[in-house]
PDB file of all heavy atoms in Angstrom:
ATOM      1  N   THR W 603      -9.607  -4.235 -15.326  1.00 93.00           N
ATOM      2  CA  THR W 603     -10.118  -2.883 -15.525  1.00 93.00           C
ATOM      3  C   THR W 603     -10.834  -2.374 -14.287  1.00 93.00           C
ATOM      4  O   THR W 603     -10.779  -1.176 -13.965  1.00 93.00           O
ATOM      5  CB  THR W 603     -11.079  -2.846 -16.727  1.00 93.00           C
ATOM      6  OG1 THR W 603     -10.395  -3.328 -17.884  1.00 93.00           O
ATOM      7  CG2 THR W 603     -11.579  -1.443 -16.987  1.00 93.00           C
ATOM      8  N   LEU W 604     -11.496  -3.258 -13.560  1.00 96.00           N
ATOM      9  CA  LEU W 604     -12.231  -2.863 -12.359  1.00 96.00           C
ATOM     10  C   LEU W 604     -11.333  -2.128 -11.380  1.00 96.00           C
ATOM     11  O   LEU W 604     -11.748  -1.147 -10.749  1.00 96.00           O
ATOM     12  CB  LEU W 604     -12.848  -4.089 -11.689  1.00 96.00           C
ATOM     13  CG  LEU W 604     -13.642  -3.838 -10.400  1.00 96.00           C
ATOM     14  CD1 LEU W 604     -14.906  -3.025 -10.710  1.00 96.00           C
ATOM     15  CD2 LEU W 604     -14.012  -5.154  -9.720  1.00 96.00           C
ATOM     16  N   TYR W 605     -10.086  -2.595 -11.236  1.00 96.00           N
ATOM     17  CA  TYR W 605      -9.171  -1.975 -10.289  1.00 96.00           C
ATOM     18  C   TYR W 605      -8.774  -0.562 -10.722  1.00 96.00           C
ATOM     19  O   TYR W 605      -8.450   0.279  -9.883  1.00 96.00           O
ATOM     20  CB  TYR W 605      -7.912  -2.824 -10.125  1.00 96.00           C
ATOM     21  CG  TYR W 605      -8.159  -4.242  -9.675  1.00 96.00           C
ATOM     22  CD1 TYR W 605      -7.218  -5.237  -9.897  1.00 96.00           C
ATOM     23  CD2 TYR W 605      -9.339  -4.604  -9.034  1.00 96.00           C
ATOM     24  CE1 TYR W 605      -7.418  -6.549  -9.485  1.00 96.00           C
ATOM     25  CE2 TYR W 605      -9.563  -5.907  -8.629  1.00 96.00           C
ATOM     26  CZ  TYR W 605      -8.602  -6.879  -8.854  1.00 96.00           C
ATOM     27  OH  TYR W 605      -8.825  -8.175  -8.454  1.00 96.00           O
ATOM     28  N   GLU W 606      -8.790  -0.309 -12.012  1.00 91.00           N
ATOM     29  CA  GLU W 606      -8.433   1.015 -12.516  1.00 91.00           C
ATOM     30  C   GLU W 606      -9.536   2.030 -12.243  1.00 91.00           C
ATOM     31  O   GLU W 606      -9.289   3.234 -12.236  1.00 91.00           O
ATOM     32  CB  GLU W 606      -8.145   0.948 -14.010  1.00 91.00           C
ATOM     33  CG  GLU W 606      -6.973   0.036 -14.365  1.00 91.00           C
ATOM     34  CD  GLU W 606      -6.811  -0.135 -15.860  1.00 91.00           C
ATOM     35  OE1 GLU W 606      -7.573   0.517 -16.620  1.00 91.00           O
ATOM     36  OE2 GLU W 606      -5.927  -0.910 -16.281  1.00 91.00           O
ATOM     37  N   ASP W 607     -10.763   1.552 -12.043  1.00 91.00           N
ATOM     38  CA  ASP W 607     -11.915   2.434 -11.813  1.00 91.00           C
ATOM     39  C   ASP W 607     -12.244   2.594 -10.332  1.00 91.00           C
ATOM     40  O   ASP W 607     -13.373   2.917  -9.972  1.00 91.00           O
ATOM     41  CB  ASP W 607     -13.147   1.875 -12.542  1.00 91.00           C
ATOM     42  CG  ASP W 607     -12.971   1.880 -14.047  1.00 91.00           C
ATOM     43  OD1 ASP W 607     -12.220   2.742 -14.545  1.00 91.00           O
ATOM     44  OD2 ASP W 607     -13.571   1.030 -14.726  1.00 91.00           O
ATOM     45  N   VAL W 608     -11.273   2.366  -9.460  1.00 96.00           N
ATOM     46  CA  VAL W 608     -11.518   2.379  -8.027  1.00 96.00           C
ATOM     47  C   VAL W 608     -11.989   3.758  -7.557  1.00 96.00           C
ATOM     48  O   VAL W 608     -11.541   4.800  -8.047  1.00 96.00           O
ATOM     49  CB  VAL W 608     -10.245   1.956  -7.261  1.00 96.00           C
ATOM     50  CG1 VAL W 608      -9.130   2.978  -7.431  1.00 96.00           C
ATOM     51  CG2 VAL W 608     -10.534   1.732  -5.789  1.00 96.00           C
ATOM     52  N   ASP W 609     -12.940   3.760  -6.615  1.00 97.00           N
ATOM     53  CA  ASP W 609     -13.354   4.983  -5.938  1.00 97.00           C
ATOM     54  C   ASP W 609     -13.059   4.814  -4.448  1.00 97.00           C
ATOM     55  O   ASP W 609     -12.454   3.824  -4.043  1.00 97.00           O
ATOM     56  CB  ASP W 609     -14.839   5.302  -6.186  1.00 97.00           C
ATOM     57  CG  ASP W 609     -15.764   4.159  -5.770  1.00 97.00           C
ATOM     58  OD1 ASP W 609     -15.438   3.437  -4.797  1.00 97.00           O
ATOM     59  OD2 ASP W 609     -16.813   3.984  -6.419  1.00 97.00           O
ATOM     60  N   THR W 610     -13.487   5.771  -3.631  1.00 97.00           N
ATOM     61  CA  THR W 610     -13.207   5.685  -2.192  1.00 97.00           C
ATOM     62  C   THR W 610     -14.424   5.184  -1.416  1.00 97.00           C
ATOM     63  O   THR W 610     -14.554   5.470  -0.230  1.00 97.00           O
ATOM     64  CB  THR W 610     -12.758   7.053  -1.636  1.00 97.00           C
ATOM     65  OG1 THR W 610     -13.818   8.013  -1.829  1.00 97.00           O
ATOM     66  CG2 THR W 610     -11.501   7.535  -2.325  1.00 97.00           C
ATOM     67  N   ILE W 611     -15.254   4.405  -2.083  1.00 96.00           N
ATOM     68  CA  ILE W 611     -16.448   3.842  -1.446  1.00 96.00           C
ATOM     69  C   ILE W 611     -16.557   2.332  -1.658  1.00 96.00           C
ATOM     70  O   ILE W 611     -16.754   1.577  -0.714  1.00 96.00           O
ATOM     71  CB  ILE W 611     -17.733   4.504  -1.992  1.00 96.00           C
ATOM     72  CG1 ILE W 611     -17.780   5.986  -1.630  1.00 96.00           C
ATOM     73  CG2 ILE W 611     -18.971   3.811  -1.448  1.00 96.00           C
ATOM     74  CD1 ILE W 611     -18.989   6.702  -2.167  1.00 96.00           C
ATOM     75  N   THR W 612     -16.401   1.895  -2.881  1.00 96.00           N
ATOM     76  CA  THR W 612     -16.774   0.544  -3.265  1.00 96.00           C
ATOM     77  C   THR W 612     -15.753  -0.500  -2.825  1.00 96.00           C
ATOM     78  O   THR W 612     -14.569  -0.414  -3.169  1.00 96.00           O
ATOM     79  CB  THR W 612     -16.949   0.448  -4.792  1.00 96.00           C
ATOM     80  OG1 THR W 612     -17.837   1.475  -5.230  1.00 96.00           O
ATOM     81  CG2 THR W 612     -17.503  -0.910  -5.185  1.00 96.00           C
ATOM     82  N   SER W 613     -16.222  -1.489  -2.071  1.00 97.00           N
ATOM     83  CA  SER W 613     -15.376  -2.608  -1.679  1.00 97.00           C
ATOM     84  C   SER W 613     -15.489  -3.728  -2.702  1.00 97.00           C
ATOM     85  O   SER W 613     -16.587  -4.088  -3.126  1.00 97.00           O
ATOM     86  CB  SER W 613     -15.785  -3.133  -0.295  1.00 97.00           C
ATOM     87  OG  SER W 613     -15.072  -4.316   0.020  1.00 97.00           O
ATOM     88  N   TYR W 614     -14.345  -4.282  -3.093  1.00 98.00           N
ATOM     89  CA  TYR W 614     -14.326  -5.407  -4.022  1.00 98.00           C
ATOM     90  C   TYR W 614     -14.217  -6.739  -3.293  1.00 98.00           C
ATOM     91  O   TYR W 614     -14.080  -7.789  -3.920  1.00 98.00           O
ATOM     92  CB  TYR W 614     -13.161  -5.274  -5.003  1.00 98.00           C
ATOM     93  CG  TYR W 614     -13.217  -4.030  -5.861  1.00 98.00           C
ATOM     94  CD1 TYR W 614     -12.054  -3.413  -6.305  1.00 98.00           C
ATOM     95  CD2 TYR W 614     -14.436  -3.452  -6.210  1.00 98.00           C
ATOM     96  CE1 TYR W 614     -12.101  -2.271  -7.093  1.00 98.00           C
ATOM     97  CE2 TYR W 614     -14.488  -2.313  -6.992  1.00 98.00           C
ATOM     98  CZ  TYR W 614     -13.314  -1.728  -7.425  1.00 98.00           C
ATOM     99  OH  TYR W 614     -13.379  -0.593  -8.199  1.00 98.00           O
ATOM    100  N   TYR W 615     -14.271  -6.687  -1.974  1.00 98.00           N
ATOM    101  CA  TYR W 615     -14.183  -7.926  -1.186  1.00 98.00           C
ATOM    102  C   TYR W 615     -15.551  -8.595  -1.184  1.00 98.00           C
ATOM    103  O   TYR W 615     -16.516  -8.080  -0.614  1.00 98.00           O
ATOM    104  CB  TYR W 615     -13.738  -7.636   0.241  1.00 98.00           C
ATOM    105  CG  TYR W 615     -13.468  -8.895   1.048  1.00 98.00           C
ATOM    106  CD1 TYR W 615     -12.205  -9.471   1.040  1.00 98.00           C
ATOM    107  CD2 TYR W 615     -14.470  -9.493   1.794  1.00 98.00           C
ATOM    108  CE1 TYR W 615     -11.946 -10.620   1.768  1.00 98.00           C
ATOM    109  CE2 TYR W 615     -14.224 -10.644   2.525  1.00 98.00           C
ATOM    110  CZ  TYR W 615     -12.962 -11.203   2.506  1.00 98.00           C
ATOM    111  OH  TYR W 615     -12.718 -12.352   3.218  1.00 98.00           O
ATOM    112  N   GLU W 616     -15.637  -9.753  -1.822  1.00 97.00           N
ATOM    113  CA  GLU W 616     -16.913 -10.462  -1.946  1.00 97.00           C
ATOM    114  C   GLU W 616     -16.625 -11.960  -2.026  1.00 97.00           C
ATOM    115  O   GLU W 616     -16.200 -12.470  -3.062  1.00 97.00           O
ATOM    116  CB  GLU W 616     -17.657  -9.974  -3.189  1.00 97.00           C
ATOM    117  CG  GLU W 616     -19.100 -10.434  -3.271  1.00 97.00           C
ATOM    118  CD  GLU W 616     -19.839  -9.799  -4.436  1.00 97.00           C
ATOM    119  OE1 GLU W 616     -19.547  -8.632  -4.779  1.00 97.00           O
ATOM    120  OE2 GLU W 616     -20.714 -10.484  -5.011  1.00 97.00           O
ATOM    121  N   VAL W 617     -16.858 -12.650  -0.929  1.00 96.00           N
ATOM    122  CA  VAL W 617     -16.459 -14.046  -0.806  1.00 96.00           C
ATOM    123  C   VAL W 617     -17.125 -14.934  -1.835  1.00 96.00           C
ATOM    124  O   VAL W 617     -16.488 -15.811  -2.420  1.00 96.00           O
ATOM    125  CB  VAL W 617     -16.759 -14.557   0.627  1.00 96.00           C
ATOM    126  CG1 VAL W 617     -16.481 -16.049   0.728  1.00 96.00           C
ATOM    127  CG2 VAL W 617     -15.939 -13.793   1.655  1.00 96.00           C
ATOM    128  N   ASN W 618     -18.389 -14.732  -2.112  1.00 95.00           N
ATOM    129  CA  ASN W 618     -19.131 -15.622  -3.016  1.00 95.00           C
ATOM    130  C   ASN W 618     -19.312 -15.038  -4.413  1.00 95.00           C
ATOM    131  O   ASN W 618     -20.181 -15.476  -5.165  1.00 95.00           O
ATOM    132  CB  ASN W 618     -20.498 -15.944  -2.413  1.00 95.00           C
ATOM    133  CG  ASN W 618     -20.383 -16.709  -1.103  1.00 95.00           C
ATOM    134  OD1 ASN W 618     -19.576 -17.627  -0.990  1.00 95.00           O
ATOM    135  ND2 ASN W 618     -21.175 -16.325  -0.113  1.00 95.00           N
ATOM    136  N   SER W 619     -18.503 -14.090  -4.763  1.00 97.00           N
ATOM    137  CA  SER W 619     -18.635 -13.448  -6.064  1.00 97.00           C
ATOM    138  C   SER W 619     -18.245 -14.407  -7.196  1.00 97.00           C
ATOM    139  O   SER W 619     -17.395 -15.285  -7.037  1.00 97.00           O
ATOM    140  CB  SER W 619     -17.754 -12.201  -6.132  1.00 97.00           C
ATOM    141  OG  SER W 619     -17.806 -11.615  -7.414  1.00 97.00           O
ATOM    142  N   LYS W 620     -18.859 -14.216  -8.346  1.00 97.00           N
ATOM    143  CA  LYS W 620     -18.496 -14.958  -9.561  1.00 97.00           C
ATOM    144  C   LYS W 620     -17.703 -14.079 -10.525  1.00 97.00           C
ATOM    145  O   LYS W 620     -17.319 -14.528 -11.603  1.00 97.00           O
ATOM    146  CB  LYS W 620     -19.755 -15.498 -10.229  1.00 97.00           C
ATOM    147  CG  LYS W 620     -20.492 -16.536  -9.388  1.00 97.00           C
ATOM    148  CD  LYS W 620     -21.702 -17.095 -10.122  1.00 97.00           C
ATOM    149  CE  LYS W 620     -22.420 -18.135  -9.254  1.00 97.00           C
ATOM    150  NZ  LYS W 620     -23.615 -18.701  -9.943  1.00 97.00           N
ATOM    151  N   ASN W 621     -17.480 -12.832 -10.117  1.00 97.00           N
ATOM    152  CA  ASN W 621     -16.698 -11.903 -10.921  1.00 97.00           C
ATOM    153  C   ASN W 621     -15.207 -12.196 -10.724  1.00 97.00           C
ATOM    154  O   ASN W 621     -14.710 -12.229  -9.597  1.00 97.00           O
ATOM    155  CB  ASN W 621     -17.031 -10.469 -10.484  1.00 97.00           C
ATOM    156  CG  ASN W 621     -16.264  -9.425 -11.253  1.00 97.00           C
ATOM    157  OD1 ASN W 621     -15.067  -9.259 -11.055  1.00 97.00           O
ATOM    158  ND2 ASN W 621     -16.957  -8.711 -12.126  1.00 97.00           N
ATOM    159  N   LYS W 622     -14.467 -12.397 -11.815  1.00 96.00           N
ATOM    160  CA  LYS W 622     -13.068 -12.809 -11.722  1.00 96.00           C
ATOM    161  C   LYS W 622     -12.212 -11.791 -10.971  1.00 96.00           C
ATOM    162  O   LYS W 622     -11.336 -12.162 -10.180  1.00 96.00           O
ATOM    163  CB  LYS W 622     -12.499 -13.038 -13.122  1.00 96.00           C
ATOM    164  CG  LYS W 622     -13.027 -14.278 -13.816  1.00 96.00           C
ATOM    165  CD  LYS W 622     -12.353 -14.471 -15.158  1.00 96.00           C
ATOM    166  CE  LYS W 622     -12.850 -15.740 -15.850  1.00 96.00           C
ATOM    167  NZ  LYS W 622     -12.190 -15.935 -17.162  1.00 96.00           N
TER     168      LYS W 622
END
Side-chain angles (χ1 to χ4, degrees):
T603 303
L604 179 67
Y605 303 159
E606 298 173 4
D607 295 332
V608 66
D609 56 32
T610 61
I611 295 178
T612 308
S613 173
Y614 299 149
Y615 187 89
E616 191 174 326
V617 174
N618 297 317
S619 176
K620 295 183 180 180
N621 180 288
K622 289 183 178 180

